[in-house]
Amino acid sequence: RRQRKGAADQPADLPWFEKAGETVMGQRPEGPIVDHADALSFLKADDGSSVIGTLCCFACHPVCCGPALQQSADYVGACRARVEAETAGAPAVFITGACGDINPWTQGEGHAAAATMGSALGASIAAALSDAVASGRPASAALVSSLSETLALPLDPLPTEQEALAFLEEARALESHAIVQEAAAVGLRTAVRETAAVRGWAEERLGLARGEGGALEETMPLRVHGVRVGEVAILGIAGEPFSEYALALERASP
């Protein structure tokens, strides 16, 4: 969903920090995509086929409905409902996966789009799990273990005071332009609230470059959680990790 606009598409007043090409919320088919769902089926121990619960994981933002519909389970609700219908009502739990840079094709198109996508995804998950059970694949051992660790991620170096001032000047100009355009009801490349956020961020950077605000941290803590159920490992990472992290972890995983 993070689409880079080429030089020919850039507006003349593009800020310096976007000179390499503007990043917009769009569609980038050639970008990294997790092309599969992960699912874990929990079966009754006495018969090995009756489902008592399903865990589903798919890397995609649940934004089929769009901002106009404030409260909705989006495609996730439809996916869970389909999986539960195919498993005699056994509860299904959904994890959004490393969805930080992935949107559905039907973004902002309402409840019908969410129902279509979610039902199709749920049907695929239920069919795959049913085939796995029918094939007689041996169940994983019931061994469960977990871990929790806090990592220290290194932060980028701060800009110089001169760089921070230049950034702040452009951020203020961009915000002023957005306010004028909004007052004139003209379509905006950048929303007013977003330009205000950029300006606030630039002001903070300038203060830090000038030594204001006390001692600076050189790292940022990141919590990582892990649960292993038999042969399956589930990792939880704070924030919205991009899909390439999940793909890299899967390639490295035993």
Side-chain angles (χ1 to χ4, degrees), residues 5 7 17 27 94 113 118 138 145 154 156 162-163 174 181 198 223 226 236 247:
K5 284 190 174 182
F17 51 86
Q27 293 181 347
F94 192 96
S145 57
D156 285 340
Q162 183 178 4
E163 290 171 335
L174 193 64
Q181 293 289 82
V198 172
R223 291 292 298 277
L247 295 172

Side-chain angles (χ1 to χ4, degrees), residues 201-254:
W201 188 87
E203 290 175 342
E204 181 185 8
R205 296 285 84 75
L206 177 60
L208 292 172
R210 288 174 170 172
E212 302 168 2
L216 301 179
E217 298 292 336
E218 296 183 356
T219 61
M220 175 181 176
L222 177 73
R223 291 292 298 277
V224 178
H225 304 271
V227 177
R228 178 173 177 174
V229 182
E231 298 175 358
V232 177
I234 303 169
L235 291 179
I237 304 175
E240 286 188 359
F242 281 13
S243 55
E244 287 177 290
Y245 287 102
L247 295 172
L249 285 167
E250 286 187 2
R251 287 193 297 267
S253 172

Side-chain angles (χ1 to χ4, degrees), residues 55-113:
L55 180 66
C56 313
C57 180
F58 186 63
C60 182
H61 267 76
V63 291
C64 290
C65 288
L69 304 172
Q70 293 296 318
Q71 295 185 3
S72 170
D74 210 84
Y75 80 83
V76 171
C79 175
R80 292 180 58 244
R82 184 61 182 267
V83 172
E84 290 176 354
E86 299 287 343
T87 55
V93 176
F94 192 96
I95 302 174
T96 53
C99 67
D101 55 348
I102 301 181
N103 268 352
W105 287 111
T106 54
Q107 180 186 359
E109 296 188 15
H111 286 298

Side-chain angles (χ1 to χ4, degrees), residues 69-180:
L69 304 172
Q70 293 296 318
Q71 295 185 3
S72 170
D74 210 84
Y75 80 83
V76 171
C79 175
R80 292 180 58 244
R82 184 61 182 267
V83 172
E84 290 176 354
E86 299 287 343
T87 55
V93 176
F94 192 96
I95 302 174
T96 53
C99 67
D101 55 348
I102 301 181
N103 268 352
W105 287 111
T106 54
Q107 180 186 359
E109 296 188 15
H111 286 298
T116 298
M117 174 178 169
S119 181
L121 177 62
S124 295
I125 290 173
L129 290 174
S130 178
D131 289 344
V133 173
S135 68
R137 188 179 304 172
S140 298
L143 177 65
V144 176
S145 57
S146 65
L147 62 83
S148 178
E149 187 173 342
T150 299
L151 308 176
L153 301 184
L155 295 174
D156 285 340
L158 286 171
T160 65
E161 183 174 349
Q162 183 178 4
E163 290 171 335
L165 275 170
F167 188 7
L168 180 56
E169 289 174 3
E170 292 220 27
R172 285 172 173 167
L174 193 64
E175 182 183 19
S176 298
H177 176 69
I179 292 172
V180 171

